[in-house]
Amino acid sequence: KAGVTQTPRYLIKTRGQQVTLSCSPISGHRSVSWYQQTPGQGLQFLFEYFSETQRNKGNFPGRFSGRQFSNSRSEMNVSTLELGDSALYLCASRGQVYNEQFFGPGTRLTVL
Amino acid sequence: SQQGEEDPQALSIQEGENATMNCSYKTSINNLQWYRQNSGRGLVHLILIRSNEREKHSGRLRVTLDTSKKSSSLLITASRAADTASYFCAPEYGNKLVFGAGTILRVKS
């Protein structure tokens, strides 16, 4: 079974731009969560989607948004990028039976 | 805060020794998951332990959970150089994992 995939793996953007990251969960998983990892703040929860609905949201500004499609793939968007948005963005998918969350390799975003 | 707090922050051991990492959390949880991360890469899932379980094993890994003390521990036996990584515990509240700063484990060969 293929794992969680994230694209792109690396991104370089400049302040003020926007960015879209993509996540494909493990086949059969309907829940997708997003996390941000920075050296200063560590791993922080952004949001979770289940069956195309946002089920949970962390404490991030409205510039961070996401969505989930009918095939469970998810995207997250960050608008008006700031230097502090430079981070590793991790996506996790969860199965319904055992509740384990499996993470993808991440997208490393650098904002210049 | 709800987050897991790992102890110690860093641990350096010789290959073949056992490594124990501890985690504490503040409020009641649904379950608790342990992860490994190598050099800023993605998180590798190690073990999930539910709130009604006390101990789980997976290969060289042993996880315990004490809900009365709100603590968990991860034991890696017969460590290898390849076990060098950061280890995180993540208590789960609802569908949200809350991570601590992690324990950096270095296994010297």
Side-chain angles (χ1 to χ4, degrees), chain B residues 2 11-12 14 21 24 26 33 42 56-57 70 78 80 85 90 97 100 106:
Chain B
Q2 296 174 317
L11 182 59
S12 183
Q14 291 292 138
M21 288 159 267
S24 61
K26 296 278 170 44
Q33 304 189 46
K56 282 188 85 167
H57 297 254
K70 293 185 172 57
R80 305 165 182 169
L97 296 175
R106 182 185 170 208

Side-chain angles (χ1 to χ4, degrees), chain A residues 32-74:
Chain A
V32 173
S33 297
W34 289 89
Y35 293 80
Q36 180 198 63
Q37 185 177 30
T38 60
Q41 299 299 316
L43 280 150
Q44 293 185 288
F45 172 79
L46 281 156
F47 27 65
E48 187 221 1
Y49 286 87
F50 179 82
S51 292
E52 302 179 65
T53 301
Q54 187 179 89
R55 195 159 65 169
N56 211 341
K57 189 177 190 305
N59 296 322
F60 278 82
R63 300 185 297 105
F64 291 82
S65 63
R67 59 178 176 168
Q68 187 180 32
F69 302 95
S70 58
N71 63 357
S72 294
R73 189 178 70 84
S74 176

Side-chain angles (χ1 to χ4, degrees), chain B residues 49-98:
Chain B
I49 187 163
R50 303 184 194 288
S51 58
N52 61 353
E53 296 175 316
R54 292 297 165 256
E55 187 171 311
K56 282 188 85 167
H57 297 254
S58 176
R60 294 183 296 113
L61 307 180
R62 173 179 168 255
V63 166
T64 62
L65 180 64
D66 187 334
T67 52
S68 66
K69 294 181 180 177
K70 293 185 172 57
S71 66
S72 175
S73 68
L74 169 67
L75 168 68
I76 303 174
T77 60
S79 64
R80 305 165 182 169
D83 294 328
T84 295
S86 293
Y87 291 81
F88 296 90
C89 79
E92 181 167 345
Y93 303 93
N95 298 309
K96 171 180 149 181
L97 296 175
V98 183

Side-chain angles (χ1 to χ4, degrees), chain A residues 31 33 35 37 42-45 48 55-59 88 90 94 97-106 108, chain B residues 3 31 33 35 37 39-48 50 56 88 92-101:
Chain A
S31 165
S33 297
Y35 293 80
Q37 185 177 30
L43 280 150
Q44 293 185 288
F45 172 79
E48 187 221 1
R55 195 159 65 169
N56 211 341
K57 189 177 190 305
N59 296 322
L88 181 66
L90 294 161
R94 176 206 298 274
V97 177
Y98 297 108
N99 280 324
E100 294 157 328
Q101 288 201 41
F102 297 98
F103 283 80
R108 183 159 302 278
Chain B
Q3 72 184 59
N31 61 58
Q33 304 189 46
Y35 292 88
Q37 184 178 42
S39 299
R41 296 181 184 176
L43 296 165
V44 174
H45 186 271
L46 298 176
I47 287 184
L48 177 153
R50 303 184 194 288
K56 282 188 85 167
F88 296 90
E92 181 167 345
Y93 303 93
N95 298 309
K96 171 180 149 181
L97 296 175
V98 183
F99 291 86

